[in-house]
Amino acid sequence: MSNLLRVAVLASGSKGNATYIGIGEKNFLIDIGICVTELKKRLGQVNISVEDLDGVFITHEHNDHIKGLETFANNFDVPIYTSEPTWRKIVGVFPDIARKNCKLFRGEKTFNGVQVISFPTSHDAVDSHGYSFLANGKKLTYVTDLGFVTPVVQDAIENCEVLIIESNHDIDMLKNGSYPDWLKKRILSTQGHLANIVTADTLARLKHLPEEIFLAHLSQHNNNRELAFETTDKCLRKIGSSTKILLASQNEVVANF
Ligand SMILES: [Zn+2]
Ligand SMILES: [Zn+2]
């Protein structure tokens, strides 16, 4: 991928999520679900420091997406964007979070030529969102933690050069696994998480496939890396696609630059 769209998934999965997005001259983060020490360390591995960041976008209030947020907000002067209902939830969890960098955001905002668009997702959070970033006619979309692909999500993932999308579980591994029934139901529901096969089918039906896809938020219990990769790879090869597939990881940085 050209220098225009730089992605480093710093951590991805139910133990914590954080992703660096570099687009044009701008540097952003999506979610801070790992502690700040780990965040700085992993950003350092791709030569980015917190001082370089122009903003942080939060997808939703689940712990694996906001774990490090309070420490971050209280120690750094970087604006943090999310919707009003999500902020209310976050402030409920972190009553002492510094308010000065808490910015309301929903819809669309332009940062010196980089357009950021938030779009709603179907998940069991108060107001979960994915994000698209556009500059110089190129588009990158980030979407995880969704029970199904709504028409709005479908639009957001069309015509991307780079797409980061959830491939959470293998349906049989989940059904036959050790999770309690209520949790299996939650994950499989329309407000849960995307199964490998659903992600693969969704991608294979895109009118315009991205050059690069990051499969993200893989379950450590109900998925494995080979299965997630193969499910999407098989569907994409069948339609003759040459899209590059990268697998995000819980424990190490996966970057395209
Ligand atoms: Zn999550
Ligand atoms: Zn979630």
Side-chain angles (χ1 to χ4, degrees):
M1 179 49 55
S2 69
N3 247 7
L4 183 70
L5 302 174
R6 306 175 301 281
V7 176
V9 181
L10 306 174
S12 185
S14 61
K15 291 200 174 77
N17 295 272
T19 295
Y20 162 79
I21 306 287
I23 176 162
E25 305 288 295
K26 295 286 165 192
N27 299 294
F28 300 112
L29 278 186
I30 299 178
D31 290 337
I32 303 185
I34 54 177
C35 73
V36 168
T37 313
E38 195 60 31
L39 178 78
K40 286 171 76 177
K41 189 180 115 192
R42 295 192 191 193
L43 274 174
Q45 289 173 13
V46 287
N47 296 316
I48 304 290
S49 77
V50 169
E51 287 71 31
D52 299 326
L53 297 172
D54 297 292
V56 180
F57 295 89
I58 303 297
T59 59
H60 64 299
E61 74 278 13
H62 287 164
N63 185 51
D64 57 320
H65 299 260
I66 63 163
K67 207 182 298 166
L69 191 57
E70 183 180 31
T71 310
F72 185 90
N74 294 359
N75 286 283
F76 302 109
D77 211 9
V78 180
I80 302 161
Y81 300 94
T82 196
S83 73
E84 189 176 355
T86 301
W87 269 128
R88 281 213 194 101
K89 286 280 182 187
I90 292 171
V91 168
V93 180
F94 300 129
D96 299 325
I97 190 167
R99 301 297 200 274
K100 67 175 167 43
N101 291 318
C102 301
K103 308 283 183 197
L104 289 181
F105 174 64
R106 205 173 199 227
E108 197 183 318
K109 189 173 166 59
T110 302
F111 298 78
N112 291 0
V114 176
Q115 189 186 16
V116 185
I117 301 171
S118 76
F119 56 90
T121 51
S122 175
H123 190 54
D124 55 355
V126 68
D127 192 33
S128 59
H129 282 82
Y131 293 97
S132 292
F133 299 80
L134 296 95
N136 296 339
K138 305 282 183 196
K139 179 179 172 191
L140 176 155
T141 289
Y142 178 99
V143 63
T144 66
D145 297 69
L146 66 165
F148 77 111
V149 177
T150 58
V152 171
V153 171
Q154 188 71 46
D155 265 4
I157 65 177
E158 271 293 356
N159 294 312
C160 291
E161 275 66 40
V162 179
L163 174 62
I164 302 122
I165 187 168
E166 174 168 66
S167 187
N168 179 259
H169 58 275
D170 174 75
I171 294 174
D172 289 333
M173 278 180 79
L174 175 67
K175 284 186 174 163
N176 300 322
S178 62
Y179 276 17
D181 277 349
W182 66 266
L183 188 51
K184 289 181 183 177
K185 265 190 205 137
R186 189 212 140 212
I187 293 168
L188 290 165
S189 80
T190 56
Q191 295 198 306
H193 289 277
L194 282 191
N196 293 339
I197 189 66
V198 176
T199 302
D201 275 350
T202 301
L203 294 170
R205 280 187 283 105
L206 287 175
K207 293 184 198 87
H208 169 93
L209 269 157
E211 290 171 35
E212 290 174 350
I213 294 169
F214 287 76
L215 298 177
H217 216 298
L218 271 63
S219 168
Q220 291 188 311
H221 297 279
N222 307 306
N223 209 351
N224 66 56
R225 299 177 67 75
E226 294 69 31
L227 206 47
F229 181 87
E230 275 164 22
T231 309
T232 284
D233 188 57
K234 211 194 275 174
C235 282
L236 295 190
R237 299 305 154 236
K238 216 185 274 176
I239 56 167
S241 152
S242 57
T243 293
K244 184 173 178 189
I245 303 167
L246 296 102
L247 286 174
S249 160
Q250 186 70 79
N251 299 315
E252 48 194 68
V253 178
V254 178
N256 70 351
F257 63 99

